[in-house]
Amino acid sequence: MKIAIAGAGSIGCYCGGLLASAGHEVTLLGRARVLDPIRQHGLTLTDFAGQNRHIDTLTLAEDPVCMADAEVVIVTVKSGATADMAALIGQYAPQSVVLSWQNGIENARVLRAALPDQDVRAGMVPFNVVPMEGGRFHRATSGEIVIQSGAGGLGQALGSAELPVVENDRIEAVQWGKLVINLNNALNALSGMTLKQQLMDRNWRQLMADQMAEALAVLRAADHPVASTTPLPAWAIPHVLRLPTPLFSKIAARMLTIDPNARTSMAYDLMAGRVTEIDSLQGEIIRLGVQHGVATPYCAGVQALIEEAQDQPLSVDQVRRAVD
């Protein structure tokens, strides 16, 4: 298939590379700061399981005209750029199937509103990809991509052993499940810790659990079903997070593989001084809470801390004082 990755960053480069490795004709549409190291060194993909794969069958482009012959456009821009990318897709690739492989809930809706005559499907990418020097991207956590069910067997066509892609007719519930988990992106960014360090600290886990429980209460009030992206049901995860660390470690080891150096994408955005996606994560819960009369002090406090974040990491007690 001819595939364009629209807004290739860490997720886009990693997934695009594996799609090219599986035999698809892939173009990465991105910024020079992302594409130039790949031009110089090639694209190298590594992961927590020891994969080390060099990809040299990609087309790299900064001009959106590159999408003109794409059968599938996979959108991987940050949420704030979705509307602009939708306009470019409508101009250059009005015949394509469009997949949103982005965080948050609203992106697929924005794409559908702008592209009413196209097959637009939401998706969920569960894993974390870390950008490294020299055109290397490292997958640091596990999980399979989920896309909205539809015609054409697209999940099977895109999926491979290295990049499993499955279809699901409850994609919005899956997205809410991912959003609830992704609320920790901000806490991880504030902590300055790796994900593994943070998860091994019971105080941080209890704060994660409190924020997640708040979000689940909001989603219940809004009557939004939540499909867990882990083997545990969503309602059970806060209880597991609060367990003593030795017990939590045994349960978590069966749920998720995490590279020791993994951090969330928001942590990298914060370190680089880039705009974060906090409004598409905590902001979604805050807005729903207002609509349904449910207080959201944890999400509101964490969003404020991210928006005011300085160079120094915060302790869990400092975050608690801001949200309690």
Side-chain angles (χ1 to χ4, degrees), residues 45-83:
L45 307 180
T46 57
D47 70 12
F48 58 85
Q51 171 184 238
N52 193 327
R53 186 184 301 261
H54 189 79
I55 312 295
D56 57 8
T57 56
L58 291 157
T59 299
L60 308 179
E62 295 166 49
D63 188 334
V65 72
C66 71
M67 297 188 287
D69 62 350
E71 298 167 80
V72 178
V73 174
I74 300 175
V75 180
T76 58
V77 294
K78 294 290 179 65
S79 298
T82 301

Side-chain angles (χ1 to χ4, degrees), residues 18 36 41 52 55 88 100 104 119 122 130 155 171 179 185 197 264 268-269 279 286 295 306 320:
L18 288 183
D36 282 350
H41 302 283
N52 193 327
I55 312 295
L88 293 173
S100 168
D119 181 357
V130 180
I171 191 63
L179 185 147
N185 288 8
Q197 289 170 334
T264 64
Y268 290 104
D269 286 340
D279 192 57
I286 293 166
I306 288 290
R320 276 254 177 231

Side-chain angles (χ1 to χ4, degrees), residues 184 187 198-214 237-245 248 298 316-317 320 323-324:
N184 184 53
L187 293 179
Q198 184 196 12
L199 285 168
M200 290 301 104
D201 185 317
R202 192 181 186 188
N203 290 326
W204 276 107
R205 289 201 313 278
Q206 288 173 331
L207 182 56
M208 291 164 59
D210 291 342
Q211 183 182 224
M212 186 178 293
E214 174 180 280
I237 296 175
H239 301 287
V240 172
L241 288 170
R242 294 186 178 110
L243 292 171
T245 298
F248 169 79
Y298 286 97
V316 68
D317 289 336
R320 276 254 177 231
V323 301
D324 281 346

Side-chain angles (χ1 to χ4, degrees), residues 72-75 97-101 111 119 121-122 147 154 158:
V72 178
V73 174
I74 300 175
V75 180
V97 177
V98 180
L99 301 178
S100 168
W101 288 7
L111 290 166
D119 181 357
R121 305 189 204 177
I147 65 172
L154 197 54
L158 294 175

Side-chain angles (χ1 to χ4, degrees), residues 108 182 203 232 235 273:
N182 275 355
N203 290 326
L232 290 174
W235 62 265

Side-chain angles (χ1 to χ4, degrees), residues 14 61 109 116 145 147 149 230 244 285 310:
Y14 184 87
R109 296 173 188 165
I145 295 173
I147 65 172
S149 299
T230 78
I285 299 300
Q310 306 297 317

